[in-house]
Amino acid sequence: MKKRVFSGIQPTGDIHIGNYLGAMRHWAASQAEFDNIFCIVDLHSITVKHDAKQLYAKTRELAGLLLAVGIDPEQSAIFVQSHLPQHSELTWILNCFTPLGWLQRMHQYKDKSAKQETIGMGLLDYPVLMAADILLYESDYVPVGEDQKQHVELARDIAGRFNSIYGDLFRMPEPVISKTGARIMGLDDPTKKMAKSETVQGHAINLLDSPDSIRKKIMRATTDSQRDVVYDEKRPGVFNLLSIYQLFTGKSRSEIGSHFKGKGYSDLKSELAEVIIEGLRPVQERFKDVTNDPAHIEKLLQDGADKVRPIADKTLNKVKRKLGLG
Ligand code: ATP
Ligand code: LTN
């Protein structure tokens, strides 16, 4: 039996190269080895202010992008979280086993709540919904970027607490964080992670950006006042650009180091822009192809939901029986 991989991605905003290099690319690369479920987590997207029409459209766009980066529906189910009410139902149950203090110390909650005028319960509860996503499908591995590690660990804590009371019901999931690309930084501010929710112009390269826009954003990326192109963690701007270059070209650090020897930041930037444009070209072409037919995307999402529903039902029924519900 293949081990199960589960991961989720929010349909808020534009999908960027951080999402791609830190998560989506790895999902596509390892899918033959596993039994995979990829969830478009629209219920997570409503934890902050959102626009209904846009959320609906972005959900479909994201399904197209998942296909475009190489997720194969024969090997992986793709579905929308809100199509399965089991996610919300298990969230409520898990809420009753999650101490408030565990949620209040989550980094993402602290960051995002600081930016909101009023903080909805949903923002605090975000990681419990994520735990429900993971635990419903008896997931073995959860491949995510570095920023989500704490949430996967919380899912383990919640599962552990529940299991210690009711016996081993939930499978313990393990976070999988890739060694490279797990934390791509913002181009405007390389001390902050690249994020969809960041709206500053030039912050992120999106997967559907035009070549011109990619060139502009890279040329304007924040660096520092030094000159030589070297890997140095203390120079986060250049370090980030070099990491992106490395991930798109597949070259080693030493190859890249000697390639840029004697060259300056503007050489790095102009080469990097072309490397990204070429790297995204096939993704953008496939995206055009697959989204030509909107009915195809609807069918994909429906088939995905049909495929995973029995798994979610089975877990939820087990949980309810244990609790005396029903
Ligand atoms: P938000 O801005 O709302 O936090 P996000 O950009 O983090 O959104 P998500 O949909 O929450 O996007 O994340 C999808 C996947 O992409 C997750 O596995 C997440 O860890 C990964 N990811 C997000 N940003 C980065 C980044 N800058 N570098 C590497 N991986 C990332
Ligand atoms: N919170 C995640 C998205 C997400 C997720 C999940 C990831 C929701 N449910 C389950 C892995 C497993 C994020 O990337 N911001």
Side-chain angles (χ1 to χ4, degrees):
M1 268 273 270
K2 286 180 175 174
K3 296 263 189 191
R4 176 159 301 139
V5 159
F6 182 97
S7 201
I9 180 161
Q10 299 185 75
T12 341
D14 294 321
I15 305 297
H16 52 73
I17 57 171
N19 299 133
Y20 176 61
L21 299 172
M24 296 158 87
R25 196 175 66 121
H26 303 293
W27 303 347
S30 67
Q31 64 189 323
E33 224 180 299
F34 302 106
D35 169 13
N36 315 278
I37 304 179
F38 300 115
C39 183
I40 300 177
V41 294
D42 55 350
L43 294 170
H44 279 104
S45 291
I46 64 167
T47 56
V48 291
K49 213 165 145 229
H50 83 291
D51 176 82
K53 253 198 197 147
Q54 198 181 356
L55 180 61
Y56 190 90
K58 287 284 176 191
T59 298
R60 272 82 196 153
E61 180 185 286
L62 179 50
L65 277 171
L66 288 169
L67 294 177
V69 302
I71 304 293
D72 170 9
E74 295 288 319
Q75 305 187 67
S76 308
I78 300 175
F79 77 104
V80 178
Q81 190 184 35
S82 68
H83 292 181
L84 267 73
Q86 292 84 343
H87 291 248
S88 306
E89 197 172 345
L90 183 61
T91 301
W92 175 255
I93 294 172
L94 297 180
N95 274 336
C96 301
F97 293 87
T98 309
L100 193 54
W102 288 7
L103 300 178
Q104 283 165 329
R105 57 159 206 262
M106 291 292 112
H107 304 309
Q108 183 177 293
Y109 171 70
K110 289 194 216 162
D111 292 349
K112 290 202 175 174
S113 60
K115 293 184 196 156
Q116 304 288 314
E117 266 173 43
T118 44
I119 303 160
M121 276 298 297
L123 197 59
L124 180 66
D125 209 28
Y126 180 113
V128 183
L129 176 58
M130 179 162 161
D133 298 340
I134 296 169
L135 299 177
L136 268 179
Y137 299 100
E138 305 187 311
S139 313
D140 295 293
Y141 300 121
V142 184
V144 284
E146 176 69 40
D147 62 305
Q148 293 301 314
K149 187 163 181 245
Q150 195 187 32
H151 285 164
V152 182
E153 279 161 1
L154 184 86
R156 289 172 60 91
D157 289 342
I158 296 173
R161 175 173 262 233
F162 192 96
N163 286 352
S164 71
I165 306 171
Y166 293 103
D168 281 345
L169 195 149
F170 290 125
R171 183 169 300 167
M172 246 341 141
E174 267 175 52
V176 180
I177 320 275
S178 68
K179 280 184 212 76
T180 48
R183 198 170 167 81
I184 301 296
M185 310 309 277
L187 298 178
D188 58 324
D189 178 355
T191 62
K192 275 200 207 149
K193 117 179 159 82
M194 190 176 281
K196 288 195 221 100
S197 51
E198 193 54 74
T199 50
V200 176
Q201 260 291 320
H203 167 77
I205 304 274
N206 301 321
L207 296 196
L208 297 177
D209 275 350
S210 68
D212 260 2
S213 146
I214 294 174
R215 284 188 196 105
K216 273 195 197 121
K217 288 178 181 176
I218 293 291
M219 294 319 279
R220 284 185 199 148
T222 303
T223 46
D224 52 55
S225 54
Q226 306 205 38
R227 288 162 166 270
D228 46 331
V229 180
V230 287
Y231 279 96
D232 177 359
E233 306 234 15
K234 286 193 250 34
R235 289 155 63 181
V238 180
F239 189 83
N240 191 39
L241 296 181
L242 281 169
S243 306
I244 299 171
Y245 185 91
Q246 186 181 350
L247 290 161
F248 273 103
T249 58
K251 290 186 182 156
S252 69
R253 276 194 186 197
S254 66
E255 272 177 277
I256 296 171
S258 39
H259 176 75
F260 284 110
K261 207 165 176 179
K263 296 186 183 170
Y265 288 177
S266 76
D267 301 304
L268 167 65
K269 285 180 166 180
S270 44
E271 279 195 45
L272 174 61
E274 298 314 310
V275 157
I276 299 175
I277 292 166
E278 286 317 310
L280 294 183
R281 194 187 300 282
V283 175
Q284 298 189 350
E285 281 169 4
R286 271 197 300 270
F287 177 79
K288 245 198 232 151
D289 270 0
V290 298
T291 50
N292 247 338
D293 177 11
H296 170 68
I297 298 285
E298 292 308 322
K299 169 103 174 45
L300 167 87
L301 296 175
Q302 205 168 31
D303 289 352
D306 289 344
K307 195 159 149 196
V308 303
R309 189 177 294 108
I311 313 169
D313 271 335
K314 188 172 148 222
T315 307
L316 187 61
N317 287 335
K318 261 201 288 191
V319 170
K320 287 167 84 172
R321 266 199 307 275
K322 283 276 184 200
L323 296 176
L325 298 168

